[in-house]
Amino acid sequence: MSINDFKFKRDKMVETQIIARGIKDERVIAAMRKVPRHLFLDEALWPQAYEDYPLPIGERQTISQPYIVALMTEKLNLKGNESVLEIGTGSGYQTAILAELAEKVYSIERIASIAKRARKVLDDLKYTNIVIKIGDGTVGWSEYAPYDGIIVTAASPYVPKPLMDQLKIGGRLVIPVGGECSQDLIVYKKTGENEYEEENYGGCRFVKLIGAYGWKE
Ligand code: SAM
């Protein structure tokens, strides 16, 4: 398959899965058109890279469905000058989308081999505004806090308190919260030191967030 074939598939993905389902933020749409999702996957999966479902990335983890990536990103309401914390680097695809839309992206992944692979793909694509660390993201990353936005791309039984603490007032936390088999996608907008508004964007299914403030191993 040539670069043009992938571009064609990507445009079709954006039209039929992203715009058709109601994503409106033009910057998110442009990022989804631009980032070469197939490069974040093993070559054997390239033919499926733009299909409407999650795919395996090794270590029993997944790259999220394109629509979920677009929806979660849109809910962060990024304008370009933000500092964003991502928990669950995974393939690095969502990280690249965030790096297109924010000033700086800090991303934490607990599985070293996965983080290293993502780092290489992101370096090959010449992203210079992404910092990745290996560790437990449920405790956040206090060194660079507070953040304008925090996105958790694994399923949590509850909202990890350190993440809410490391969010700026006015900032947004996007996180799937619920049981092991299904969760709700929740957006928390921090309105005061210990105050937030909450919106529920419906059912979703993620792999488990494992850590001090998540599921136990
Ligand atoms: N957004 C990713 C992408 O675009 O490929 C998909 C992320 S995948 C669904 C969830 C990731 O969260 C996995 O790679 C998993 O190892 C990681 N994870 C789970 N618990 C974590 C934790 N406490 N801290 C950091 N990463 C964690």
Side-chain angles (χ1 to χ4, degrees):
M1 247 184 290
S2 73
I3 286 180
N4 281 341
D5 292 332
F6 287 120
K7 177 76 185 121
F8 178 79
K9 283 193 169 204
R10 199 151 61 241
D11 282 340
K12 190 170 158 229
M13 170 193 87
V14 169
E15 298 301 329
T16 60
Q17 301 172 37
I18 309 299
I19 297 173
R21 292 205 185 114
I23 301 296
K24 295 206 165 46
D25 186 324
E26 289 296 338
R27 297 178 70 244
V28 174
I29 292 169
M32 299 291 294
R33 279 196 204 283
K34 179 177 170 190
V35 176
R37 181 174 161 93
H38 61 283
L39 296 182
F40 294 84
L41 292 162
D42 282 346
E43 204 166 337
L45 291 172
W46 285 7
Q48 294 176 71
Y50 298 95
E51 299 299 326
D52 193 13
Y53 43 75
L55 288 163
I57 57 169
E59 306 279 354
R60 291 182 293 133
Q61 305 303 321
T62 53
I63 182 174
S64 304
Q65 177 195 18
Y67 171 69
I68 283 286
V69 173
L71 178 64
M72 292 178 83
T73 308
E74 186 174 64
K75 295 304 168 202
L76 286 172
N77 201 26
L78 300 172
K79 303 295 178 210
N81 57 355
E82 296 86 356
S83 152
V84 176
L85 175 66
E86 178 190 42
I87 313 302
T89 316
S91 69
Y93 173 67
Q94 169 83 72
T95 323
I97 297 286
L98 295 171
E100 292 286 336
L101 300 171
E103 191 171 305
K104 195 92 192 185
V105 181
Y106 301 92
S107 186
I108 309 176
E109 169 56 54
R110 65 181 283 274
I111 301 176
S113 59
I114 287 189
K116 282 181 189 150
R117 189 182 185 283
R119 177 78 270 172
K120 178 162 190 332
V121 179
L122 293 164
D123 284 346
D124 289 349
L125 288 170
K126 308 268 184 279
Y127 284 101
T128 55
N129 58 342
I130 298 170
V131 188
I132 296 178
K133 90 164 171 183
I134 298 160
D136 175 10
T138 67
V139 299
W141 197 342
S142 56
E143 193 179 349
Y144 300 106
Y147 302 95
D148 300 286
I150 302 180
I151 177 170
V152 182
T153 65
S156 190
Y158 55 88
V159 177
K161 184 169 184 309
L163 299 186
M164 200 57 104
D165 291 344
Q166 291 176 24
L167 191 62
K168 275 187 199 166
I169 293 175
R172 291 167 183 224
L173 166 64
V174 181
I175 180 169
V177 182
E180 286 184 38
C181 297
S182 75
Q183 307 87 36
D184 282 334
L185 184 63
I186 313 283
V187 179
Y188 294 92
K189 188 170 174 197
K190 190 162 172 177
T191 51
E193 215 35 77
N194 285 307
E195 291 165 21
Y196 53 82
E197 288 166 5
E198 177 182 337
E199 279 179 65
N200 187 326
Y201 289 91
C204 54
R205 189 176 179 158
F206 279 83
V207 296
K208 283 200 281 187
L209 181 75
I210 297 170
Y213 292 84
W215 295 98
K216 302 301 161 226
E217 225 166 321

